[in-house]
Amino acid sequence: MPKKKVAKRATHKVTLTKRAQPQLNALDKKTLELIDSTAERVQASILRRTLPELKFPVRSLANVKYDTKKGYFELGRGRKARALSVNTVKNFAQTLRLMAISKDMVADGDFATKREAYYVSKNWGDCKFNEQTESDTVMDDIEALAALEGLSREQLRYYPEDHGGSLAGELVVIDRDSETGGEVRIDCTGMGSGAYQIPHSVEHLKFETNAKFILAIETGGMFSRLNAHKFWKNANCILVSMQGVPSRATRRFIRRLADDKKIPVYCFVDCDPYGIGNIYRTLKVGSGNAAHINRFFCVPQAQYLGVTPQDIIDFKLEDATHKLQAVDIKRAKDALKNDPFFKAHKPWIKAINQMLKMGVRAEQQALAKWGLNFVIEEYLPKKLRNRKGFLP
Amino acid sequence: MPKKKVAKRATHKVTLTKRAQPQLNALDKKTLELIDSTAERVQASILRRTLPELKFPVRSLANVKYDTKKGYFELGRGRKARALSVNTVKNFAQTLRLMAISKDMVADGDFATKREAYYVSKNWGDCKFNEQTESDTVMDDIEALAALEGLSREQLRYYPEDHGGSLAGELVVIDRDSETGGEVRIDCTGMGSGAYQIPHSVEHLKFETNAKFILAIETGGMFSRLNAHKFWKNANCILVSMQGVPSRATRRFIRRLADDKKIPVYCFVDCDPYGIGNIYRTLKVGSGNAAHINRFFCVPQAQYLGVTPQDIIDFKLEDATHKLQAVDIKRAKDALKNDPFFKAHKPWIKAINQMLKMGVRAEQQALAKWGLNFVIEEYLPKKLRNRKGFLP
């Protein structure tokens, strides 16, 4: 920047709030160790006058396995080594720089989105990224490397652009005041017709709740209905709006909350191949092409409350359904043929075949056919009385 | 529903929270009057044995005008009459039914999404909607009709599926407890790293604030940065994340808050034809094909803080820009040629031409080139010291 601005800088410093010293927990220390040890290995081999190399897990589907016991897609043993050479030198430097920034952010209690990380590089001269796809690829490698140590990308302080979903109900979220370091208590029963929005990163959050379960809901409209009628109070639960396929933050939040408090997670989505195969499946076991992070982001304790193909019959929703389109049928058949999760669970094979046989899909809003609040008065109570009936 | 279930209904009623009697305000009474008078006119002409007709404003662009004084697109005087006939009888009945549901919802303090309204019709026998496009069209007619009386669709209790954006900062939102009818106070300085999510409908909300301005931000990532560093505290402002083109609820919330508290609204988006021509323009004046609702949803007091084409030069962001694509150039030229808002404001004509001349666009995250918090330490303070420089 031109001197003029650098000079001005001082006078504006006021607008950057003094931040509390971040409390480094065990994972943070592990993060710093990973970064230091990686850098030291590189430095050592340079001092030995040998070409340094970095080893990363292979992130292709070929290196993915589904562990039925663990209940999620996991990265295999495949590794690729990247040795320093004329061709790799730029990528090598970029990798180390991104890890260096990560170290600073852990120390400063700051963070960067993947987009910001890309732009930060614009000040790196020759070693800057030309496209974000380049920085994302390097970031994915670092993320996979960290995953081997049980560290997520959020631990490295690189946060996703997309925030978490919204939440309401019987939960107190305990956050940390960035300025004082003190506790911030957010009572999620006190949001009125609005909601608490889950932050980009949830690693530091603590929870207080007596809720009996978490209800993960596909649409914002259904979430608002259950929230407006305080369903969370009578059912003593926590409502989370996933707004389609849940974001990393939403999945991680539900996982941490369900683990900490040992409460079940019930999923309430549309009865179609997308709701089942994309939204629910991503929430529960993660996705194949992100196997290196599923261990953090999947929610193995999730169960499928509905809407099920059988619900369409039991609740007489036939005339509120839509015909399955070619894309739906393809997606459903792919799930039966290729998806290790669905193939591992007979009840799912049965349910998906039933849907294909019926040839229709039904949205959760279809229950409004019997009245706007039929879902609260009849559907959910009836389903919740038979939790053993939930699909795995 | 089969008797069996109807019987069960009683036993589950418990799970529908007793709701407080809704407080009907002047607008609610006006809403009920509109519905009653419309129905009575129809009934009267039937009793006169004449064919009843309903009159709706024409919603085509041909019937739209931009009022520079009012500062938003407005519906013209064009009206279309729909007389009851063999061809219109179904649509006629559907219109009256949707209005009847609206009357019940106002009385019960309930609401329905457009999607739910479509499904409710599945129980109407021959008069049910076959596609949501049908119910949406009827709804748009009713909305236009209500708009003439100064009533929004939310007043009729038909809420959009999409929730509002997220908010943090120097604001207390005063909501109403749906169960007790008592006040719910939401302190938006107490959300930690998370945020308050604006509800689907904001008509009933009240506000307490000493904030000096509202900062409407395009991306969730930038919002999180400003929130994490408590920019709202040092700048004494309210941060709203629009997450792209702002939803109805977000726009209405900002409008009501800015009107009630007489505080300015500053818009902070990407410097590209989309950020300027779609996000900012929609926030400020609304959109041409929704002219019948702009009077409720536009924010005429909004001003454009940045990022401006001149900022790219002043803050040396040239190497953090992207080339304008054909679609960008087309959008920019359309704005100059056809958009009454931009055509009415010389500074915008100058700025858009400057962007076309430079041939590049810059995202708000591009400021990270000078450091992750350059935006907080330098960019925003510098811009805020020269508010007269904001684009109209």
Side-chain angles (χ1 to χ4, degrees):
Chain A
M1 291 295 294
K3 289 230 167 359
K4 194 173 102 290
K5 284 208 184 47
V6 180
K8 277 225 182 86
R9 198 183 191 105
T11 64
H12 311 320
K13 268 279 189 230
V14 286
T15 56
L16 188 60
T17 312
K18 209 188 139 309
R19 312 196 83 207
Q21 265 309 315
Q23 304 162 319
L24 298 192
N25 60 28
L27 281 179
D28 295 327
K29 299 203 175 75
K30 211 168 163 191
T31 308
L32 296 174
E33 281 160 22
L34 169 71
I35 297 169
D36 290 340
S37 62
T38 308
E40 280 157 10
R41 267 201 311 284
V42 170
Q43 186 191 31
S45 65
I46 290 171
L47 294 176
R48 278 200 316 276
R49 309 188 129 284
T50 58
L51 286 175
E53 69 171 25
L54 294 168
K55 270 203 175 67
F56 300 101
V58 176
R59 287 184 289 101
S60 73
L61 275 171
N63 192 34
V64 170
K65 62 183 202 297
Y66 175 67
D67 183 324
T68 38
K69 247 202 263 61
K70 289 184 179 162
Y72 55 84
F73 292 117
E74 217 185 14
L75 213 53
R77 304 184 167 287
R79 299 284 179 272
K80 63 179 173 191
R82 185 178 300 133
L84 182 59
S85 75
V86 181
N87 303 332
T88 65
V89 62
K90 184 177 173 183
N91 177 295
F92 216 85
Q94 290 169 330
T95 307
L96 293 172
R97 274 205 187 245
L98 281 183
M99 291 178 84
I101 293 175
S102 175
K103 185 179 176 179
D104 293 341
M105 293 192 293
V106 172
D108 304 345
D110 211 336
F111 66 92
T113 63
K114 289 169 86 175
R115 193 75 182 145
E116 287 176 320
Y118 159 72
Y119 280 116
V120 166
S121 82
K122 293 301 184 182
N123 212 0
W124 291 354
D126 294 344
C127 123
K128 72 165 175 243
F129 295 106
N130 297 316
E131 295 297 335
Q132 196 188 332
T133 50
E134 298 174 10
S135 53
D136 285 353
T137 309
V138 173
M139 183 98 50
D140 289 343
D141 280 337
I142 297 174
E143 183 173 21
L145 187 69
L148 298 178
E149 308 296 322
L151 301 169
S152 69
R153 196 179 76 212
E154 281 74 5
Q155 266 301 324
L156 294 161
R157 301 301 192 270
Y158 288 114
Y159 294 175
E161 178 65 35
D162 58 346
H163 59 72
S166 35
L167 183 148
E170 299 290 352
L171 173 69
V172 173
V173 175
I174 299 167
D175 203 333
R176 183 166 178 275
D177 187 300
S178 60
E179 191 182 4
T180 67
E183 239 184 37
V184 180
R185 297 173 61 84
I186 300 132
D187 179 354
C188 299
T189 64
M191 296 292 155
S193 53
Y196 165 70
Q197 185 167 64
I198 297 168
H200 292 213
S201 178
V202 304
E203 299 305 323
H204 63 292
L205 300 179
K206 299 194 188 70
F207 309 106
E208 280 177 17
T209 183
N210 297 316
K212 293 278 168 288
F213 62 93
I214 301 164
L215 188 64
I217 303 159
E218 175 170 344
T219 64
M222 181 59 74
F223 171 85
S224 296
R225 170 158 310 284
L226 299 187
N227 187 28
H229 288 276
K230 287 196 180 177
F231 178 78
W232 47 261
K233 187 182 177 192
N234 295 306
N236 188 17
C237 68
I238 298 161
L239 306 175
V240 178
S241 165
M242 296 187 285
Q243 289 145 32
V245 174
S247 68
R248 284 169 67 110
T250 307
R251 290 153 61 197
R252 182 63 176 160
F253 184 97
I254 294 174
R255 165 70 176 277
R256 288 201 58 231
L257 175 57
D259 281 355
D260 287 10
K261 299 305 174 184
K262 311 259 177 307
I263 43 180
V265 177
Y266 304 141
C267 198
F268 180 26
V269 300
D270 292 346
C271 179
D272 58 33
Y274 188 80
I276 294 168
N278 294 53
I279 297 176
Y280 175 67
R281 166 37 173 66
T282 302
L283 177 71
K284 174 146 185 159
V285 300
S287 64
N289 51 22
H292 57 296
I293 62 168
N294 290 335
R295 59 188 293 185
F296 306 110
F297 294 97
C298 68
V299 182
Q301 56 269 78
Q303 295 170 271
Y304 189 92
L305 176 147
V307 179
T308 66
Q310 188 57 40
D311 287 343
I312 295 175
I313 299 163
D314 294 347
F315 293 91
K316 305 230 175 308
L317 301 176
E318 293 84 350
D319 58 1
T321 59
H322 301 265
K323 250 176 118 310
L324 288 178
Q325 302 300 311
V327 53
D328 299 318
I329 294 166
K330 184 187 178 309
R331 194 174 267 140
K333 287 183 170 168
D334 280 352
L336 290 173
K337 188 160 172 294
N338 306 320
D339 192 308
F341 168 67
F342 291 112
K343 284 161 73 179
H345 293 99
K346 282 208 174 52
W348 269 122
I349 297 171
K350 195 159 157 291
I352 294 171
N353 277 317
Q354 183 181 16
M355 181 193 305
L356 285 167
K357 193 149 166 296
M358 293 165 71
V360 293
R361 59 184 184 84
E363 297 173 345
Q364 50 186 177
Q365 291 91 333
L367 294 157
K369 172 195 168 187
W370 298 114
L372 289 170
N373 294 315
F374 177 81
V375 61
I376 297 175
E377 297 176 273
E378 296 243 9
Y379 179 77
L380 288 172
K382 187 163 192 287
K383 297 290 290 190
L384 287 166
R385 279 205 312 281
N386 175 27
R387 303 180 193 203
K388 291 204 172 38
F390 291 166
L391 285 160
Chain B
M1 293 292 295
K3 287 228 169 3
K4 192 174 105 292
K5 284 205 183 49
V6 180
K8 274 222 181 89
R9 195 181 194 105
T11 64
H12 311 320
K13 267 280 189 233
V14 287
T15 56
L16 189 62
T17 312
K18 205 186 144 307
R19 313 195 83 207
Q21 263 311 314
Q23 303 162 316
L24 299 192
N25 59 28
L27 280 180
D28 295 326
K29 299 204 176 72
K30 211 168 162 192
T31 308
L32 295 175
E33 281 158 24
L34 169 71
I35 297 169
D36 289 339
S37 62
T38 307
E40 279 156 11
R41 266 201 312 282
V42 170
Q43 186 191 29
S45 65
I46 290 172
L47 295 177
R48 277 199 316 276
R49 310 188 130 282
T50 58
L51 286 175
E53 70 171 23
L54 294 168
K55 270 205 175 66
F56 301 103
V58 176
R59 288 185 288 101
S60 73
L61 275 171
N63 190 35
V64 169
K65 63 182 201 295
Y66 175 67
D67 183 323
T68 37
K69 247 200 266 58
K70 288 182 180 162
Y72 55 83
F73 292 117
E74 215 186 16
L75 213 52
R77 304 184 165 287
R79 299 282 179 275
K80 61 179 173 191
R82 185 178 298 133
L84 181 59
S85 75
V86 181
N87 302 332
T88 65
V89 62
K90 184 176 174 184
N91 178 295
F92 216 85
Q94 290 168 330
T95 307
L96 294 172
R97 275 207 186 245
L98 281 184
M99 292 179 83
I101 293 174
S102 175
K103 184 178 177 178
D104 293 341
M105 294 192 293
V106 172
D108 304 345
D110 211 337
F111 66 91
T113 64
K114 290 169 85 175
R115 194 75 180 145
E116 287 175 321
Y118 159 71
Y119 280 116
V120 166
S121 83
K122 293 300 184 181
N123 213 1
W124 291 354
D126 293 344
C127 140
K128 74 167 173 238
F129 295 107
N130 297 317
E131 296 296 337
Q132 196 188 334
T133 49
E134 298 173 11
S135 53
D136 285 353
T137 308
V138 172
M139 184 96 53
D140 289 343
D141 281 338
I142 296 173
E143 183 173 21
L145 187 70
L148 299 177
E149 307 296 321
L151 301 169
S152 69
R153 196 179 76 213
E154 283 73 5
Q155 265 302 323
L156 294 161
R157 302 302 194 268
Y158 288 115
Y159 294 174
E161 178 65 34
D162 58 346
H163 60 70
S166 36
L167 183 149
E170 300 291 350
L171 173 69
V172 173
V173 176
I174 300 168
D175 203 334
R176 183 167 178 273
D177 187 300
S178 60
E179 190 181 6
T180 67
E183 240 184 36
V184 180
R185 297 173 60 85
I186 301 132
D187 179 353
C188 299
T189 65
M191 297 292 154
S193 53
Y196 165 70
Q197 185 167 65
I198 297 168
H200 292 215
S201 178
V202 304
E203 299 305 323
H204 63 293
L205 300 179
K206 298 192 188 69
F207 309 107
E208 279 177 17
T209 183
N210 296 314
K212 292 277 167 290
F213 61 92
I214 300 164
L215 188 64
I217 302 159
E218 175 170 344
T219 64
M222 181 58 74
F223 172 85
S224 296
R225 170 157 310 284
L226 299 187
N227 187 27
H229 288 277
K230 286 196 181 178
F231 178 78
W232 47 261
K233 188 182 176 193
N234 295 303
N236 188 17
C237 68
I238 298 161
L239 305 175
V240 178
S241 165
M242 296 186 286
Q243 289 143 32
V245 174
S247 68
R248 284 169 68 110
T250 307
R251 291 154 60 197
R252 182 63 177 161
F253 184 97
I254 295 175
R255 165 71 175 277
R256 287 201 61 231
L257 175 57
D259 282 355
D260 287 10
K261 299 304 174 185
K262 310 261 177 306
I263 44 179
V265 177
Y266 304 141
C267 197
F268 180 25
V269 300
D270 293 346
C271 178
D272 58 34
Y274 188 78
I276 295 168
N278 295 56
I279 297 176
Y280 175 68
R281 184 344 208 81
T282 302
L283 177 71
K284 175 147 185 157
V285 299
S287 64
N289 51 22
H292 56 296
I293 61 168
N294 290 335
R295 58 188 293 186
F296 306 111
F297 293 97
C298 68
V299 182
Q301 55 267 77
Q303 295 170 271
Y304 189 91
L305 176 147
V307 180
T308 65
Q310 188 57 40
D311 287 342
I312 295 175
I313 299 163
D314 294 347
F315 294 92
K316 304 227 174 309
L317 301 175
E318 292 85 349
D319 59 359
T321 58
H322 301 264
K323 254 174 108 328
L324 288 178
Q325 302 299 311
V327 52
D328 300 316
I329 294 166
K330 185 187 178 308
R331 196 173 265 139
K333 288 184 170 169
D334 281 351
L336 291 172
K337 188 161 172 294
N338 307 320
D339 192 307
F341 168 67
F342 291 111
K343 284 161 74 178
H345 293 98
K346 282 207 172 52
W348 270 122
I349 296 170
K350 196 161 158 290
I352 294 170
N353 277 316
Q354 182 181 16
M355 182 195 302
L356 285 167
K357 194 151 168 295
M358 294 165 71
V360 294
R361 58 184 184 84
E363 298 173 345
Q364 50 186 179
Q365 291 92 333
L367 294 157
K369 172 196 168 185
W370 298 114
L372 289 170
N373 294 314
F374 178 80
V375 61
I376 297 174
E377 296 175 276
E378 296 244 9
Y379 179 77
L380 289 172
K382 187 161 191 288
K383 297 290 289 191
L384 287 166
R385 277 206 314 283
N386 175 28
R387 301 179 193 202
K388 291 201 174 38
F390 291 168
L391 286 160

